Amino acid sequence: MKLATWNVNSLAVRLPQLLDWLAAQQPDALVLQETKLTDDKFPHAALAEAGWHSAWFGQKTYNGVALLARAEPADVVRNIPGFADEQARVIAGTVAGVRVVGAYFPNGQAPGSDKFAYKMGWLQALEDWLRAELAAHPQLVLMGDYNIAPEDRDVFDPVAWAGQIHCTDEERAHFRALLDLGLHDAFRMFEQPPKSWSWWDYRNLAFRKNQGLRIDHILVSEALRSRVAACSIDKQPRRNERPSDHAPVLVELRA
DNA sequence: ATGCCCGGGTAACCCGGA
């Protein structure tokens, strides 16, 4: 079983690349972030034409998430139950017996800002919900754009980024709190090339210079841990002519 | 360096992203 996450930075712009990527990779499920589409604009017909079921949850201009799968996702949930939120950031569904949670974590902008406080509250709500969700669905994957670089080795210049957004102690403590729920970082279960990133700034020729961050993650539950066969970042779409600034991350589970 | 590049919404000396 192949699962993946991709922040497409506007599905309206990236739909052709998404269809190409789906055809090439054939994942069983893919979660998208930053679709930036209201629900009436979601391209479900084009995806259905290519053989993909979709569940989606969007808003105008910002955020927006979706879950695509070969089989129809069951028990779809939008956003964090019990957490009032104007922003469309979470979609969950069950695909082939696996609870797939796709999330676009808040950016946080800068430590001390209102947006940082919102990020902290959102992370706490996510953890509280996931504790229950894991109890109900032991086979669970949490994947998406976390906007957190968990360790210094996930940052191209950890000295310059020390204490900056995505790298603060508070954000990293929340990432560890997710691990403490019994989740495992699939990417770090394997030997990986040094300087592996999932995001590169559009500016400064950052991709060409490989200056990036690893902020897109796939965490798997304890019950799925032994099934994880591989996890990788697919840099190929970042080489496209008009790319997203994020690359997809994939995980393969044994049957 | 409050800069660089993007997408979106709108007409801005714009915002948000990361």
Side-chain angles (χ1 to χ4, degrees), chain A residues 83-101:
Chain A
F83 180 72
D85 196 349
E86 303 281 299
Q87 306 183 24
R89 295 189 172 277
V90 176
I91 192 159
T94 301
V95 178
V98 174
R99 191 66 174 160
V100 176
V101 181

Side-chain angles (χ1 to χ4, degrees), chain A residues 95-138:
Chain A
V95 178
V98 174
R99 191 66 174 160
V100 176
V101 181
Y104 177 45
F105 290 40
N107 175 293
Q109 201 163 60
S113 67
D114 288 350
K115 286 175 183 155
F116 191 83
Y118 166 73
K119 184 175 194 171
M120 295 298 109
W122 187 94
L123 283 161
Q124 186 60 57
L126 179 73
E127 287 148 27
D128 293 343
W129 171 58
L130 279 178
R131 192 172 291 110
E133 198 71 0
L134 275 161
H137 309 277

Side-chain angles (χ1 to χ4, degrees), chain A residues 153 186-196 214 230-233:
Chain A
R153 61 177 165 163
F187 191 75
R188 292 301 183 203
M189 291 172 60
F190 302 92
E191 187 110 13
Q192 300 288 358
K195 303 185 192 303
S196 287
R214 191 177 72 96
C231 184
S232 60
I233 297 168

Side-chain angles (χ1 to χ4, degrees), chain A residues 137-148:
Chain A
H137 309 277
Q139 304 201 79
L140 183 147
V141 173
L142 172 66
M143 54 186 179
D145 176 357
Y146 285 52
N147 275 317
I148 300 172

Side-chain angles (χ1 to χ4, degrees), chain A residues 28-107:
Chain A
D28 293 281
L30 168 67
V31 290
L32 302 176
Q33 301 88 40
E34 288 208 82
T35 58
K36 299 186 176 178
L37 293 173
T38 50
D39 287 343
D40 57 306
K41 300 237 173 71
F42 189 85
H44 58 92
L47 288 160
E49 176 93 13
W52 302 94
H53 291 269
S54 304
W56 59 93
F57 181 44
Q59 65 179 90
K60 196 174 178 183
T61 312
Y62 303 116
N63 311 313
V65 288
L67 167 59
L68 313 184
R70 277 301 193 198
E72 182 157 15
D75 302 316
V76 173
V77 168
R78 291 168 177 83
N79 264 358
I80 302 167
F83 180 72
D85 196 349
E86 303 281 299
Q87 306 183 24
R89 295 189 172 277
V90 176
I91 192 159
T94 301
V95 178
V98 174
R99 191 66 174 160
V100 176
V101 181
Y104 177 45
F105 290 40
N107 175 293

Side-chain angles (χ1 to χ4, degrees), chain A residues 187-217:
Chain A
F187 191 75
R188 292 301 183 203
M189 291 172 60
F190 302 92
E191 187 110 13
Q192 300 288 358
K195 303 185 192 303
S196 287
W197 325 124
S198 67
W199 171 85
W200 300 259
D201 202 308
Y202 282 124
R203 299 168 291 186
N204 297 323
L205 305 172
F207 183 68
R208 231 157 69 177
K209 295 189 277 191
N210 197 32
Q211 297 179 342
L213 306 174
R214 191 177 72 96
I215 53 177
D216 300 84
H217 307 293

